[in-house]
Amino acid sequence: MSQDHRSRALCLLGATGSIGVSTLSVAAHLGIPVFAVSAHSKVDLLATQARACGAKVAVICDPARYDELKRALAGSGIRAAAGPAALEEIAAAPEVGAVMTAIVGAAGLPATLAAVRAGKRLCIANKEPLVMAGDLIMAEAKASGAAILPVDSEHSAIFQCLENHGADEVRELVLTASGGPFRTVADLSQVTREQALKHPTWTMGPKITIDSATLMNKSLEVIEARWLFGIEPERIRVIIHPQSVVHSMVSYRDGSVMAQLGLPDMRVPIQYALTWPRHEGGEVGIPDFAKLVALTFEEPDTARFPSLTMAYHAARVGGLAPAVMNAANEMAVAAFLAGRSRFIDIFRTVEDALSRTPALRSPSLSDIIAADADVRARLAN
Ligand code: NAD
Ligand code: MG
């Protein structure tokens, strides 16, 4: 019998973000105790959240904000901590049963590894570490017995459609993509930051919203799916589905296709990661099927959105290529969000970085971290 979710205390990494806030709502609804919360720099929000959810520890990543956090938590009995090492500490703490990784980007890699090595239930929203070092993370999970539960809506869908079936029964995984705000925009050279930040169906943090507009999010998700489900990239297909009702599908060798449907609300996959293998009562309704005019599907346009081609290339090459692709994308998105570059420069930056990928068959963790740092250093100049 698996441990009940109410007795599995949660460590929430990235509590102040979009996934973090939704996770706190789900935890409150289900009565899941929260042991620790973290944030990068939003001290006041973090302290408010920690008090509201009854956390025992709050971690601010930026060490310069430690005193501020201590003051904000004065009299609460909540321990304040700071710095990246404190993230690894809370992720592996003996009091913790489940870890939700809701940090954005490669910054979440060390804490993800700490949680997996400590054998925690690992609820992964933070996809970038899986893209960078998926085989190492999955191998560590095998060694420690950590259960890995996908939170990304597509991967939660596939996980649900796959349950109890082996990769050898699968014809292909079909990842759906909304297509983002520029699905029907012919010329991407003039699109603005404000347009790119308006996602048609999901409300999310800024980095993943831009990734959705470039389809780089789907590119990262192809590699994420490869590691989570042990299925080679050639059997992972992307299809545009603008309504975001079908969250993804598994087609089996006998011609049967399983799909998972729902409203575009992350509280559904967040909750399932926390309560698996049970579906408990939740806060989210279901689509009104009588009002759904159409569910449509179309091929992605890889000429306008070359990120998908890059992802399949990176997945095939393996080694350091996915980490290089991810680091270049993070830097390019940051430059675009800061107004220093154009939308289409994101594609150029990632393509150029990929073409410089050092050849290395089975990189170690330190090789991956070094490659990530090299790309960032080169693009920072
Ligand atoms: P967000 O920007 O809203 O929040 C990010 C969180 O990470 C914040 O709490 C922030 O304080 C923290 N953080 C940022 N930089 C950090 C650093 N350097 N060190 C430590 N903490 C840091 O992001 P989000 O939209 O919630 O996405 C989080 C992750 O979940 C991403 O990897 C994203 O791809 C994935 N995801 C998000 C959604 C969604 O609906 N938002 C859906 C699927 C997957
Ligand atoms: Mg997704």
Side-chain angles (χ1 to χ4, degrees):
M1 189 67 196
S2 65
Q3 202 190 4
D4 182 71
H5 55 270
R6 280 177 296 267
S7 57
R8 224 171 7 236
L10 181 66
C11 167
L12 173 54
L13 303 168
T16 54
S18 167
I19 294 286
V21 168
S22 294
T23 301
L24 285 173
S25 170
V26 171
H29 177 79
L30 292 173
I32 294 177
V34 179
F35 175 74
V37 285
S38 85
H40 185 243
S41 52
K42 287 186 180 163
V43 167
D44 289 340
L45 178 54
L46 179 68
T48 306
Q49 288 178 322
R51 286 175 188 267
C53 72
K56 307 283 182 266
V57 189
V59 174
I60 195 82
C61 277
D62 180 356
R65 317 241 24 183
Y66 175 64
D67 288 340
E68 211 181 311
L69 179 63
K70 252 188 123 167
R71 278 197 300 278
L73 291 174
S76 67
I78 303 166
R79 181 164 75 83
L87 287 183
E88 295 177 58
E89 222 171 89
I90 54 171
E95 294 88 343
V96 166
V99 176
M100 171 67 66
T101 68
I103 288 174
V104 60
L109 176 60
T112 299
L113 276 168
V116 87
R117 285 176 179 151
K120 307 299 186 193
R121 168 179 291 223
L122 188 65
C123 307
I124 300 192
N126 181 201
K127 65 192 83 180
E128 293 88 351
L130 266 182
V131 171
M132 299 166 72
D135 56 347
L136 300 180
I137 293 170
M138 297 311 285
E140 293 278 6
K142 210 169 173 189
S144 71
I148 297 206
L149 281 303
V151 173
D152 217 344
S153 56
E154 296 78 1
H155 303 73
S156 175
I158 288 171
F159 180 73
Q160 293 176 60
C161 295
L162 264 181
E163 245 162 300
N164 301 322
H165 294 283
D168 61 327
E169 297 172 68
V170 171
R171 185 194 304 246
E172 60 181 12
L173 306 181
V174 184
L175 288 173
T176 55
S178 73
F182 305 137
R183 183 173 61 90
T184 56
V185 175
D187 178 10
L188 296 176
S189 64
Q190 305 301 325
V191 300
T192 66
R193 178 178 176 274
E194 283 59 43
Q195 290 167 328
L197 281 170
K198 274 205 194 87
H199 195 277
T201 49
W202 294 94
T203 311
M204 309 179 286
K207 191 261 180 182
I208 183 174
T209 303
I210 301 303
D211 284 349
S212 299
T214 56
L215 294 199
M216 186 52 86
N217 182 49
K218 213 50 52 180
S219 305
L220 300 173
E221 288 182 0
V222 167
I223 299 175
E224 181 185 11
R226 172 202 210 299
W227 296 122
L228 284 174
F229 307 116
I231 288 191
E232 59 279 19
E234 294 73 30
R235 285 198 291 153
I236 304 173
R237 176 170 174 204
V238 172
I239 191 96
I240 304 293
H241 168 50
Q243 297 82 16
S244 299
V245 172
V246 175
H247 294 312
S248 277
M249 299 181 266
V250 175
S251 74
Y252 286 98
R253 290 175 57 203
D254 58 5
S256 175
V257 183
M258 302 290 292
Q260 188 260 351
L261 282 68
L263 292 173
D265 188 320
M266 287 306 292
R267 288 175 299 176
V268 177
I270 288 170
Q271 172 164 325
Y272 193 57
L274 294 168
T275 63
W276 172 83
R278 282 183 54 78
H279 290 277
E280 300 288 345
E283 303 173 281
V284 182
I286 59 165
D288 184 345
F289 291 104
K291 289 206 177 113
L292 285 177
V293 177
L295 298 180
T296 61
F297 300 91
E298 64 200 42
E299 285 295 342
D301 179 351
T302 50
R304 276 186 308 135
F305 299 101
S307 36
L308 274 178
T309 312
M310 294 180 215
Y312 283 101
H313 165 80
R316 249 190 325 272
V317 173
L320 293 169
V324 166
M325 180 181 90
N326 177 67
N329 181 57
E330 285 192 35
M331 292 299 281
V333 170
F336 174 66
L337 283 172
R340 291 196 304 272
S341 64
R342 289 177 309 164
F343 184 78
I344 52 169
D345 294 330
I346 299 174
F347 300 128
R348 292 197 190 129
T349 303
V350 176
E351 199 158 31
D352 180 63
L354 266 177
S355 72
R356 298 161 191 258
T357 305
L360 197 59
R361 268 263 141 256
S362 302
S364 67
L365 186 63
S366 51
D367 294 329
I368 291 170
I369 291 168
D372 173 88
D374 280 354
V375 171
R376 284 167 202 272
R378 195 171 54 75
L379 292 177
N381 297 318

